Amino acid sequence: MKHFLQENWIKMIKMYNKQGSVLRIETTINNPRRFKVSRRVTRQGKQVKLWAVLRKGIADFRRRPEICVAANRRYLQALSFAVLPVTAHRTLDPVSQPCLRKGRRYRALRPISPEDSQKLLLLQDGRFAIEGIRNRDQQADWPDPASNDPGGKRTAGRITRWLRLLTAHGLLSKIPHTQCYRLTLKGQSVITCALRVRNADMKKLVA
DNA sequence: AGCGCGTTTACACGCTCCGT
DNA sequence: ACGGAGCGTGTAAACGCGCT
């Protein structure tokens, strides 16, 4: 299985041998420019340390395994939630209440409603383990695009509000100095539980 | 380094629901 | 019927990332 984020991808490989099977996760970076490295650069004649674009040569070679290992870890973490031991109501009840963050009120989530669960499931895509969740990466698959929206601004606004709502509930965390969000452990477990409850409901309906 | 434009924020407005 | 709370949406403006 392979998840693409533009030129970069994360790949899951299952290897078989006589003892059993081994799962290997692999991250491939073809376009390093999408990542950052902390290094000294010259700005207006002065040496300053900042998060600069990752270069293609060997200069930033040390940073590459760090990025790949972090991506692999996030991906494995997401996989591990497929067998959550806790009961669903313990996970879903807290986020099904409105919450307050920085003096602002945020509505309750409805993780098992068709509207919210569809949007939550978008976040489970393995490609977001590579470098996080961006507004623009959500737009193509967004289930509720605004009508008469030539620049896509209204849809982007809807997605922003959705991401902010999830951040307020602790399902996402914003990566500082970027327009990227990352799924938290709480977010992983809420999505997994929501999916499990929804599938159980579907089975009941079919039965 | 500068600039374009995507993203975020703040505000106003309308709709729905609920209690009185 | 009325008012308030809660929520979602559109829009303009500010912000700042990222492309050249």
Side-chain angles (χ1 to χ4, degrees), chain A residues 77 81 170-171 183-190:
Chain A
Q77 201 170 63
F81 276 86
L171 274 62
L183 204 56
T184 61
L185 292 177
K186 186 179 177 184
Q188 285 286 359
S189 55
V190 167

Side-chain angles (χ1 to χ4, degrees), chain A residues 25-87:
Chain A
I25 307 296
E26 215 178 78
T27 299
T28 303
I29 298 176
N30 287 316
N31 179 13
R33 295 185 60 81
R34 288 182 70 90
F35 300 97
K36 297 282 174 68
V37 58
S38 178
R39 61 178 159 88
R40 291 195 174 281
V41 296
T42 308
R43 290 280 183 272
Q44 293 169 331
K46 286 183 181 173
Q47 284 272 317
V48 287
K49 195 170 185 185
L50 47 77
W51 285 96
V53 169
L54 190 73
R55 292 165 294 185
K56 208 163 190 174
I58 60 165
D60 296 327
F61 201 68
R62 281 188 181 186
R63 174 75 177 137
R64 286 197 178 214
E66 286 175 15
I67 293 166
C68 295
V69 166
N72 292 350
R73 193 170 290 141
R74 286 191 292 273
Y75 191 82
L76 281 168
Q77 201 170 63
L79 280 179
S80 70
F81 276 86
V83 285
L84 260 186
V86 294
T87 50

Side-chain angles (χ1 to χ4, degrees), chain A residues 1-5 9-14 23-28 67-82 123-132 182-183 185 188 192:
Chain A
M1 186 181 286
K2 217 169 180 179
H3 301 280
F4 287 88
L5 191 67
W9 63 69
I10 195 161
K11 186 160 67 171
M12 180 164 67
I13 306 163
K14 198 174 181 185
L23 186 69
R24 197 177 88 204
I25 307 296
E26 215 178 78
T27 299
T28 303
I67 293 166
C68 295
V69 166
N72 292 350
R73 193 170 290 141
R74 286 191 292 273
Y75 191 82
L76 281 168
Q77 201 170 63
L79 280 179
S80 70
F81 276 86
L123 306 174
Q124 255 203 340
D125 196 315
R127 67 197 160 118
F128 297 137
I130 300 173
E131 56 161 298
R182 200 150 269 162
L183 204 56
L185 292 177
Q188 285 286 359
T192 306

